[in-house]
Amino acid sequence: MTFISQKGGSGKSTLAINLALALSTLKGNTVALVDADEQQSCIGVLSRHPRANLKLIQATKEPHLVIQGLKERSIVCDTAGYSHGAAWEAAAVSHLAIIPIQPSLLDVLAANETVQALLAVRDKLNRGLRIRFLINRANPRTTLAKTIRDTLVDTYSIKIMDTVLCDREAFKQSLHTGQSVIEHDSNSRGAIEMGNLVVEVSKILKSKKKD
């Protein structure tokens, strides 16, 4: 699966790190995190806390070739926060492309270029690609996430994930320990939300239904 957004600050790297770490704790699972962002944020964080069943790979060029050569059961790819050919190459060999979007009308409108590019990738290169919006960094004290969900429905044909991730300190704190938010504090609301995301991603990937 690949996290893609041409708008910086959407939380792609934090999501990729947390999802890869969470998947690496599943019994018998092996995970590769492919960092296709030139900033190499994921590798910068996780190289400080190596894990035997989590492989870190730098692939700012031709990530599709790197991904195709991997043997791990779960592959998570982080991409740059701007228009970048590497992002579309990664999507071309992914089963799932997730577009993180913050609850803001500006972010909804800015997603158009990403959506159109992914639809083109699916139409021309990867008919099995599932594309999903993920509402991220929502304020848990407001109803704006619901408003943005309705706006996304009215604006795009892309499905929206049921999981909503809120802007919580636990996500920031866990990065310093090299743990997922689930490992950092399994009882926190952030951990519950990330757990919901892991379950939902698994269901999407196991489903035989195409978008």
Side-chain angles (χ1 to χ4, degrees):
M1 68 210 78
T2 298
F3 288 96
I4 294 182
S5 175
Q6 290 173 290
K7 192 174 190 306
S10 63
K12 293 188 306 300
S13 297
T14 299
L15 288 169
I17 289 170
N18 270 276
L19 188 56
L21 287 172
L23 291 172
S24 74
T25 64
L26 299 180
K27 186 177 180 179
N29 199 28
T30 54
V31 183
L33 197 162
V34 178
D35 198 335
D37 186 350
E38 292 177 353
Q39 293 182 8
Q40 299 290 286
S41 300
C42 294
I43 289 179
V45 170
L46 294 179
S47 61
R48 301 165 182 252
H49 309 276
R51 298 191 182 201
N53 63 334
L54 175 56
K55 181 185 293 186
L56 306 178
I57 303 167
Q58 178 181 348
T60 55
K61 295 181 179 179
E62 300 183 329
H64 58 300
L65 299 180
V66 173
I67 292 170
Q68 288 177 319
L70 293 173
K71 303 300 183 182
E72 281 70 22
R73 295 182 64 182
S74 299
I75 301 172
V76 179
C77 182
D78 184 34
T79 61
Y82 53 90
S83 182
H84 198 295
W88 317 131
E89 290 172 350
V93 295
S94 295
H95 293 104
L96 174 62
I98 299 177
I99 308 171
I101 192 158
Q102 297 187 85
S104 158
L105 179 58
L106 293 176
D107 286 64
V108 172
L109 298 177
N112 183 62
E113 189 174 351
T114 301
V115 169
Q116 297 308 316
L118 285 173
L119 289 174
V121 168
R122 186 171 69 186
D123 182 54
K124 299 177 181 179
L125 300 172
N126 184 0
R127 299 293 295 177
L129 178 65
R130 286 87 175 268
I131 307 169
R132 296 289 188 276
F133 278 119
L134 172 62
I135 298 176
N136 190 36
R137 291 181 172 170
N139 187 332
R141 292 179 290 277
T142 73
T143 60
L144 188 55
K146 182 182 183 305
T147 301
I148 291 302
R149 180 180 294 275
D150 293 340
T151 304
L152 287 169
V153 170
D154 293 339
T155 308
Y156 301 108
S157 61
I158 302 299
K159 294 180 180 180
I160 308 163
M161 301 187 79
D162 293 331
T163 302
V164 174
L165 299 178
C166 293
D167 188 12
R168 303 191 186 280
E169 284 300 311
F171 283 102
K172 303 170 187 175
Q173 294 170 356
S174 64
L175 294 180
H176 290 281
T177 64
Q179 297 176 308
S180 71
V181 68
I182 297 174
E183 297 169 299
H184 180 70
D185 184 356
S186 61
N187 295 317
S188 69
R189 292 182 179 179
I192 294 171
E193 292 166 1
M194 181 54 61
N196 291 338
L197 179 61
V198 172
V199 171
E200 186 170 2
V201 164
S202 297
K203 287 181 178 179
I204 293 172
L205 294 176
K206 289 178 181 177
S207 174
K208 296 181 179 180
K209 295 181 179 179
K210 293 185 178 181
D211 284 358

